[in-house]
Each structure stands twice: as C-alpha cells, then as structure tokens.
Amino acid sequence: MIKSLNKEECQLILSQNYIGHLAYIYQNKPFVVPITYFYSDNRIICYSGDGHKISAMRQHDKVALEVTEITSITNWRSAVAHGQFIELERSSAKAMLHEFSLGVKDVIMRKELRDLDFISEFSAKIDSDDIPTVFVINIEEFTGKIRHD
C-alpha cells in the first residue's frame, strides 16, 4: 500500500538523514546530484565548492531536495522539500557551516551509532579564510510517499 505523507512525516525523514538528492535547473535541463545536508528549522543547510550547481542555482533559485529510505521493494518512504536557494555571506556562512557540521555529526551518531573523525574536515573549513559556498534552501512545500507491506 502506498500513501502520501503529511508535512510532519516529511520533516521527520529529512531530520533523520543527511544525504539527499538536490534537483536544480541549468540551461532549461533538470539536474539531480547527491549532496550532504542538514535539516533544521524548516530549512536545509548545504555547502559546495563553486561550480556547475552553484552557478545554476544562482541563475534559477527554485530547487528541491529528495530523501529516500529503502528497506525493500515493498518497504520505503521518501520526502521531497521544494524551496528557494539562498547563498550566505561570510559571517552567516561560517555560522551556518558550524551548525551544519554539528548537525550532520549528530544525525550520523544517532543513525549509524558511530563517531566521526572526518567531521574535522568541516571544522577546518569554518576556520579557513577560503570557505566554500554555504547555502540554505528555505522550504516552501513538502511532498512525500510511503509504501509498506
């Protein structure tokens, strides 16, 4: 049986995960790429080096993030958050990158029951003068589905 999820169920899926698929438009074509994210306060926090997706989102700020949890072909759930890309400036970007690193670490520790050594990579970016492009997706709409036996 497949049923739709409500807003709270979609938010739960987003809050319990940290890898999703970012969808954006570039030159009138849809693109979807995997990305690490942190969901907090009805927004998605991400970062990336300058490149294709950042250029594309600067031109067309409507984006979506999809997250799926699959147990089997008959047991899965997925959520899509539709929203607006907003690039952050220096001090806001550093603060948000800090929130991102702590948040992702917490989700991984709860979900996978393990600590992370590589999380220091994020902390190093916070202290660096050459920080990546940090952005949020302000969520405007949620959709989601669940299938279970």
Side-chain angles (χ1 to χ4, degrees), residues 69-136:
E69 297 174 337
I70 302 171
T71 306
S72 72
I73 195 166
T74 57
N75 282 299
W76 53 263
R77 62 185 189 155
S78 73
V80 178
H82 300 267
Q84 181 184 18
F85 161 84
I86 298 173
E87 187 173 344
L88 301 176
E89 299 299 320
R90 303 256 336 135
S91 61
S92 297
K94 283 192 175 197
M96 203 60 68
L97 190 58
H98 183 70
E99 183 177 343
F100 169 91
S101 66
L102 294 177
V104 168
K105 182 176 182 177
D106 184 57
V107 172
I108 292 171
M109 287 173 60
R110 282 186 284 116
K111 185 176 179 111
E112 300 175 15
L113 304 176
R114 65 187 179 108
D115 203 351
L116 300 176
D117 293 329
F118 78 83
I119 208 75
S120 61
E121 168 190 334
F122 301 128
S123 299
K125 291 180 189 310
I126 294 167
D127 297 331
S128 168
D129 286 335
D130 185 30
I131 66 169
T133 300
V134 180
F135 61 95
V136 297

Side-chain angles (χ1 to χ4, degrees), residues 47-59:
Y47 79 90
S48 177
D50 274 340
H52 181 265
K53 71 178 161 285
I54 295 297
S55 295
M57 292 187 297
R58 284 174 178 153
Q59 292 174 23

